């Protein structure tokens, strides 16, 4: 029986699936099937990024929402939709900038 360390993690499994779809299946596909495969690959890559960013994103989100005095993203969106005065707008933009830094780092663009 293989050791636990030999069992691939989520990232390795998702990477293997994406690489297989891209290298083996996508070149053979055409038309709608090709489009659907590309959409599936993009979705899997999003899941992989979200899994990688999850713990850091949760910490940053918690700090950002606490700083802004809102419970969560939904509450912040509701406040933004209702309209922000210039000072509050500047505060929200600055706080969300920190959140964006996490996203860019996860995407490898920071």
């Amino acid at each position: 029986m293989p050791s636990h360390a030999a069992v691939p993690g989520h990232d390795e499994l998702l990477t293997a699936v994406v690489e297989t779809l891209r290298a083996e299946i996508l070149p053979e596909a055409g038309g709608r099937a090709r489009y659907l495969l590309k959409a599936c690959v993009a979705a899997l890559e999003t899941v992989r990024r979200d899994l990688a960013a999850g713990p850091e994103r949760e910490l940053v989100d918690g700090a950002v929402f606490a700083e802004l005095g809102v419970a969560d993203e939904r509450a912040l969106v509701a406040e933004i939709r209702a309209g922000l005065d210039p000072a509050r707008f500047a505060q929200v933009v600055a706080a969300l900038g920190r959140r964006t830094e996490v996203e860019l780092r996860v995407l490898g663009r920071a």
Side-chain angles (χ1 to χ4, degrees):
M1 182 167 195
S3 72
H4 181 70
V7 176
H10 295 119
D11 189 61
E12 292 88 0
L13 290 170
L14 288 167
T15 298
V17 170
V18 167
E19 288 175 0
T20 300
L21 290 173
R22 277 197 180 129
E24 302 292 329
I25 299 172
L26 197 56
E28 303 296 323
R32 181 164 170 75
R34 184 173 184 80
Y35 168 78
L36 292 173
L37 280 166
K38 284 184 175 185
C40 289
V41 166
L44 290 170
E45 288 174 331
T46 299
V47 168
R48 189 174 71 199
R49 279 194 314 271
D50 285 351
L51 285 171
E56 184 178 8
R57 182 184 290 144
E58 287 178 23
L59 287 173
V60 170
D61 281 357
V64 165
F65 298 145
E67 175 186 334
L68 293 174
V70 296
D72 54 23
E73 187 171 0
R74 180 169 283 173
L76 180 59
V77 168
E79 183 180 336
I80 291 168
R81 287 183 175 155
L84 302 174
D85 65 50
R88 180 65 171 166
F89 178 79
Q91 183 185 23
V92 168
V93 168
L96 292 180
R98 288 186 293 287
R99 190 176 193 220
T100 302
E101 289 171 8
V102 172
E103 297 301 320
L104 291 174
R105 191 169 39 258
V106 169
L107 291 171
R109 298 179 183 158

